[in-house]
Amino acid sequence: MAKMFKAAHLASVAGAAISLAAFQPAFAQTTQTTQTAQDEITSASDTVVITGIGYRDRTNETAPVLVYGADYIQPFEPLTVGDALKRVPSVTFLSDVLESDGVRLRGLDPAYTQILINGEKVPGSGADSGAFGNGSDGSFFVDRIPAELIDSIEIVRSASANRSGDAMAGAVNIVLKDAYSLDGGYIRLGALGFDDGRVRETYGAVWGGEVGGGRLLLGANVQGRRNPKEKLSLRFDNPADTTANTVEDQSDTRDGTDYSANFSYQIEAGPGELTLNGFFVQTDRFADEDSFEYTALPAPSTVTGLNRSNTNLFTINSNDVDTEQSSWAFSGGYEFDSFGGETLVKMGYARFDNSESEFENETEYLRGSEFAAIPAANRIYPEADRFTRDLARVDLNDTEFSARAEHTRDIGFGEIEFGLQYESKERDNLVSEGRFRTGSGGVPALAQGAIIPDASGSGVPGFTDPATAAIPGGNNTIERTQIAPFAVLSGESGAMSWEAGLRYESTELDVNDRTAAPALQNTSSDYGVFLPSAHLRWDLTDSDRVSASLARTIRNPSFNFLSPAVLPAELGDNDFRGDPTLEPETAWGLDLGYEKRLGRTGIAGINFFYRDVKDLIELDTVKVPGTNNPAVGSGGAGTFIYAPVNSGDGKVWGIELDYSASLDFVGLPDTGAFFNYSWLDSDIDDLFGSRRFNSQSDFVYNIGFIHDITAWDASFGVTYRKQGDAFSRVVGEEVTTSYEGVLEVFVEKTIGDNFTVRLTGGNLTDGSKDEVFDKFDTFADQVGRSYAEYELETETAGPTWQLIGRYSF
């Protein structure tokens, strides 16, 4: 079965996550640099016409935080937050070409990166986020937040007690425009072009102003999305072979539209300020994947001209996924003076509904041993040997209620902040599947390729569209309740500032599986963990600063990792099974940094980080009881069952460099350059010995410049990004993933005081994603390097372009 959770949910849960009560009150926990005040309202024309070159901002936070404002983010016209994050330090992705969804801060699994919106944990993210492979690991997909909503992005390198502890790698805080961030409005119109000749639309409008004695912000956005890709897979007996046994030629196009609307209203009410926020998102997406598999083709260097008329064609596969999801949220907060300090109370409610329908049609011509018995010269196929149609449907509903109360006051030698956070989350899952299959020789007299990729299969004799039924573990409810009291002390002494905090997270978890025998199976657990943190900042001079941070963090098992559902062919050809008995993962982390101001606006910095991880959660192969051999998956020999496990302890470390400054010291005052480089490493012991954390890239860097042509009211810029190889190993399979570098450019022209037009070119180097798969049947085979199969896979996509205009009023 195709990857119902893996590829399809790229639209669904990602959109869900942003949904929902993403827009928290403006006084949420953001850094001092990005907090807005009534006397700092930005005019709409200043938002549309950005003058000067943007650099990384320096904050007054004691905790280590990097801030990138809209003037740094906007010039290369990112469509989403994910696109914008490709220019900040230590962010990698393990996504398809042209996509940037699950943030891998410091190269680690997306579940280790906490995504915040206005300083608040995103509803739908963390342990209850979406579908497997697309958020189920505890991650949140940032490619569904329109970049147009961003005021700034903060990279929070170490955890603090007043935020959720799910942030081992760090946190990305997305600070959105609020009711105090805009006076007036602007409209945005644009077109996006792709390598297959298609053009998609994007348009939206934002307005902010005074209404009823308060400030109101309204926004709406429509974003056309498209990603046309090509993939080629070559499969050999082992790495020494020069002739592929089989070759798969695949096209994969994802096309859809995202609709979003939001509001923010802030008003003085009584002794304090009231903030109300709402958000709605609708995602419609269609993924069309067609593949043609051939056999007995020559070595990779001579594989050309693959097409359906090739006489070596023996499998046609069509896999389509139709996704519809809607999500909405409402939140409110009230901040007021009380008891000699400030008190904040806020509440939020969010809901997410997702439905996905998938079919996979596969026509096989003289498969397996029957095919091998025919001489190569005679492999001209008058009929198909077998036709299979698989149907699957996912219905997923999330609801969440959250509340927070906190109080901050001066205590003479510093400030104390204490409070209580409450979260209640519930997910209802229903995953159903059905199959129709002819027997051997059951598709008589069909000419080669007669069943076209998108056909229903109704032309097959005896065909009846299969009924669907819930898969094992696929009908369940998961509930999680968390209560977290916290306290933070902070203060200053001369050139030094400090912060110390303690958080206690108490969690109750219930998994109700309605498909198991007996009819109702319940798994319950509860646990609590203390999460201390401490930060120190020392301003050596006005330009030089050092910082140190120590914090303990937690990774709660994700909802989909906890779900007992057995998902066939969820990971390639392999099955996935959740484990409701998983334990949480914890880590102690250290950050040491130095930062220097360059001129009036520039900054250069270096940071060292280290994490000591306990009870690491990773995917591993389910073993046959009493052996190290993998259990056979639903596809039979050569397919396996994977499950999340607490695999042991590990360590993560690295060095991060960043530079953002004008080049006026070399006589180029109108040119700004930026550069960041992160060297990343880790270590864990598995059955085979030492390795990195699975799929951690060994480096990532980004370099570029922007030049203003002031006489023409124009500017242009170039950026190049490259990330290193990522390696993953479990029993039965090893995968190495590599990406080519990606080049982007933009040209911008301002017309008058109210209009800007920008042309952007992306993926100009035709970047590819290359994967090497080493596959084995048993643990002993893997140790002895006796291969079941060796596969090379390359995914490519062509250049893209955008033409965007903004007009303020």
Side-chain angles (χ1 to χ4, degrees):
M1 189 63 198
K3 298 80 181 168
M4 167 58 76
F5 280 119
K6 187 176 181 182
H9 274 182
L10 187 56
S12 67
V13 176
I18 91 177
S19 48
L20 316 175
F23 286 77
Q24 299 293 333
F27 41 74
Q29 188 70 32
T30 60
T31 68
Q32 296 176 12
T33 302
T34 54
Q35 289 175 340
T36 56
Q38 190 163 359
D39 58 356
E40 296 175 344
I41 298 173
T42 303
S43 70
S45 61
D46 289 340
T47 299
V48 168
V49 180
I50 295 180
T51 58
I53 302 167
Y55 306 104
R56 178 178 52 105
D57 298 329
R58 195 180 212 191
T59 78
N60 292 321
E61 288 291 289
T62 305
V65 179
L66 310 183
V67 179
Y68 297 88
D71 53 352
Y72 180 90
I73 296 167
Q74 186 172 301
F76 286 93
E77 201 63 59
L79 290 177
T80 68
V81 169
D83 294 335
L85 287 171
K86 290 188 292 187
R87 290 178 57 214
V88 305
S90 286
V91 171
T92 68
F93 296 94
L94 208 65
S95 313
D96 289 350
V97 177
L98 296 183
E99 295 187 357
S100 47
D101 40 41
V103 178
R104 304 179 69 90
L105 196 59
R106 292 164 168 169
L108 298 176
D109 192 280
Y112 292 114
T113 300
Q114 183 183 79
I115 303 297
L116 307 171
I117 292 186
N118 290 346
E120 294 293 325
K121 189 175 177 181
V122 179
S125 67
D128 72 337
S129 66
F132 184 78
N134 293 284
S136 69
D137 51 4
S139 62
F140 160 70
F141 282 128
V142 291
D143 72 337
R144 284 299 174 268
I145 306 179
E148 202 67 21
L149 303 177
I150 303 172
D151 181 74
S152 64
I153 291 176
E154 303 173 357
I155 306 299
V156 186
R157 285 174 159 165
S158 184
S160 294
N162 53 9
R163 288 190 287 260
S164 169
D166 276 308
M168 195 199 87
V172 175
N173 185 26
I174 303 158
V175 182
L176 303 173
K177 296 180 176 74
D178 62 17
Y180 283 124
S181 60
L182 189 66
D183 189 28
Y186 66 89
I187 58 176
R188 176 181 183 267
L189 298 173
L192 297 82
F194 302 91
D195 189 47
D196 62 353
R198 286 290 305 276
V199 176
R200 294 302 313 271
E201 75 292 342
T202 177
Y203 50 90
V206 180
W207 178 85
E210 185 174 345
V211 174
R215 299 285 308 179
L216 176 67
L217 181 82
L218 297 173
N221 190 74
V222 176
Q223 178 66 65
R225 304 292 296 272
R226 188 169 179 82
N227 187 358
K229 301 169 296 179
E230 300 292 333
K231 186 182 295 185
L232 181 66
S233 299
L234 308 173
R235 302 181 180 100
F236 305 83
D237 284 335
N238 57 66
D241 277 1
T242 58
T243 300
N245 292 324
T246 64
V247 176
E248 185 175 2
D249 184 22
Q250 183 181 95
S251 65
D252 182 1
T253 300
R254 300 174 186 181
D255 192 273
T257 306
D258 298 335
Y259 309 87
S260 63
N262 67 285
F263 81 90
S264 174
Y265 186 66
Q266 294 169 251
I267 186 172
E268 293 184 2
E273 184 179 54
L274 175 68
T275 300
L276 303 174
N277 300 277
F279 188 88
F280 173 80
V281 64
Q282 172 76 34
T283 294
D284 298 322
R285 193 173 197 189
F286 184 76
D288 183 4
E289 182 178 298
D290 299 319
S291 65
F292 305 92
E293 195 168 4
Y294 308 79
T295 191
L297 286 172
S301 61
T302 58
V303 174
T304 58
L306 301 182
N307 57 69
R308 290 177 60 186
S309 64
N310 190 303
T311 57
N312 289 64
L313 174 68
F314 74 96
T315 300
I316 299 176
N317 184 286
S318 177
N319 181 197
D320 292 356
V321 184
D322 194 1
T323 300
E324 294 184 7
Q325 71 93 35
S326 63
S327 46
W328 60 270
F330 181 81
S331 64
Y334 187 62
E335 187 178 37
F336 57 96
D337 294 335
S338 65
F339 305 107
E342 294 182 347
T343 300
L344 166 65
V345 179
K346 54 186 175 182
M347 302 173 68
Y349 180 80
R351 181 175 176 87
F352 162 53
D353 297 296
N354 174 73
S355 295
E356 293 185 8
S357 298
E358 177 184 20
F359 77 77
E360 181 179 15
N361 288 349
E362 185 168 80
T363 307
E364 299 171 272
Y365 300 89
L366 296 172
R367 60 190 180 88
S369 59
E370 298 173 4
F371 179 88
I374 299 177
N378 297 334
R379 291 174 184 171
I380 308 297
Y381 314 126
E383 63 181 33
D385 179 63
R386 186 166 73 179
F387 172 77
T388 303
R389 178 172 171 85
D390 287 308
L391 299 182
R393 181 175 177 85
V394 171
D395 292 290
L396 183 152
N397 306 102
D398 278 356
T399 57
E400 175 178 333
F401 174 77
S402 62
R404 175 179 180 130
E406 63 183 54
H407 181 75
T408 305
R409 62 183 301 154
D410 185 82
I411 54 174
F413 63 88
E415 186 177 80
I416 185 170
E417 175 188 358
F418 57 90
L420 182 69
Q421 293 179 333
Y422 172 84
E423 290 181 352
S424 176
K425 306 169 185 283
E426 180 176 327
R427 167 174 293 180
D428 286 320
N429 283 304
L430 179 58
V431 183
S432 53
E433 294 184 343
R435 164 170 286 190
F436 168 86
R437 169 173 285 177
T438 65
S440 177
V443 191
L446 286 176
Q448 177 178 317
I451 300 178
I452 62 174
D454 291 328
S456 67
S458 57
V460 177
F463 172 82
T464 302
D465 221 3
T468 58
I471 64 175
N475 185 358
N476 62 67
T477 299
I478 304 175
E479 298 180 52
R480 193 188 76 167
T481 302
Q482 187 175 86
I483 299 175
F486 66 90
V488 179
L489 285 172
S490 59
E492 297 182 2
S493 178
M496 302 186 73
S497 62
W498 55 271
E499 176 189 302
L502 181 63
R503 181 183 186 90
Y504 180 76
E505 292 192 355
S506 175
T507 302
E508 293 185 3
L509 186 70
D510 293 292
V511 181
N512 176 2
D513 175 15
R514 290 181 287 271
T515 66
L520 189 63
Q521 282 276 320
N522 287 312
T523 302
S524 299
S525 63
D526 60 85
Y527 51 88
V529 60
F530 285 98
L531 303 174
S533 61
H535 308 290
L536 179 67
R537 190 194 74 214
W538 184 11
D539 292 326
L540 303 174
T541 68
D542 290 340
S543 299
D544 300 275
R545 171 184 295 176
V546 296
S547 62
S549 297
L550 180 69
R552 191 182 191 214
T553 53
I554 185 173
R555 176 188 177 186
N556 292 293
S558 71
F559 273 15
N560 276 74
F561 275 11
L562 294 166
S563 171
V566 178
L567 306 176
E570 182 59 28
L571 301 170
D573 293 327
N574 304 306
D575 303 345
F576 169 80
R577 184 181 73 198
D579 182 359
T581 66
L582 275 178
E583 296 292 328
E585 174 182 331
T586 60
W588 281 98
L590 173 69
D591 282 80
L592 298 173
Y594 168 75
E595 182 179 278
K596 184 176 182 62
R597 184 183 296 278
L598 303 173
R600 293 180 296 105
T601 57
I603 291 179
I606 182 171
N607 187 74
F608 167 78
F609 68 89
Y610 177 83
R611 299 291 186 269
D612 187 5
V613 185
K614 305 296 183 185
D615 296 320
L616 176 66
I617 299 174
E618 287 191 314
L619 284 182
D620 199 1
T621 315
V622 174
K623 314 297 190 306
V624 175
T627 77
N628 282 318
N629 294 334
V632 177
S634 62
T639 67
F640 308 128
I641 302 171
Y642 290 94
V645 299
N646 293 109
S647 58
D649 302 337
K651 297 176 174 58
V652 185
W653 63 90
I655 298 175
E656 302 160 313
L657 304 172
D658 75 285
Y659 172 92
S660 173
S662 167
L663 297 183
D664 56 1
F665 66 92
V666 293
L668 298 172
D670 294 324
T671 303
F674 52 88
F675 167 77
N676 56 70
Y677 178 89
S678 299
W679 171 74
L680 310 168
D681 206 351
S682 57
D683 181 70
I684 183 175
D685 290 329
D686 61 16
L687 291 169
F688 306 95
S690 176
R691 62 164 168 82
R692 290 173 176 268
F693 278 36
N694 278 336
S695 300
Q696 182 193 34
S697 298
D698 50 8
F699 70 85
V700 60
Y701 69 83
N702 183 68
I703 186 170
F705 71 89
I706 296 174
H707 179 69
D708 282 342
I709 309 175
T710 53
W712 296 354
D713 288 330
S715 63
F716 66 91
V718 177
T719 180
Y720 180 80
R721 182 180 183 277
K722 180 77 168 70
Q723 71 180 54
D725 292 351
F727 175 75
S728 174
R729 179 172 68 199
V730 296
V731 175
E733 185 172 86
E734 301 168 8
V735 184
T736 301
T737 304
S738 305
Y739 291 89
E740 291 185 346
V742 176
L743 180 70
E744 297 182 5
V745 301
F746 82 89
V747 179
E748 177 186 85
K749 180 70 172 72
T750 297
I751 303 172
D753 296 329
N754 300 87
F755 184 70
T756 296
V757 61
R758 183 179 292 124
L759 176 65
T760 305
N763 195 36
L764 300 181
T765 50
D766 291 337
S768 69
K769 176 184 180 182
D770 302 301
E771 293 183 283
V772 178
F773 298 86
D774 299 280
K775 303 178 182 180
F776 310 89
D777 286 331
T778 68
F779 172 78
D781 287 347
Q782 195 164 352
V783 172
R785 313 311 288 175
S786 177
Y787 279 76
E789 185 176 77
Y790 177 73
E791 180 179 353
L792 303 176
E793 182 175 283
T794 297
E795 182 181 77
T796 58
T800 64
W801 59 264
Q802 298 180 63
L803 182 64
I804 305 292
R806 290 180 178 83
Y807 179 78
S808 65
F809 56 90

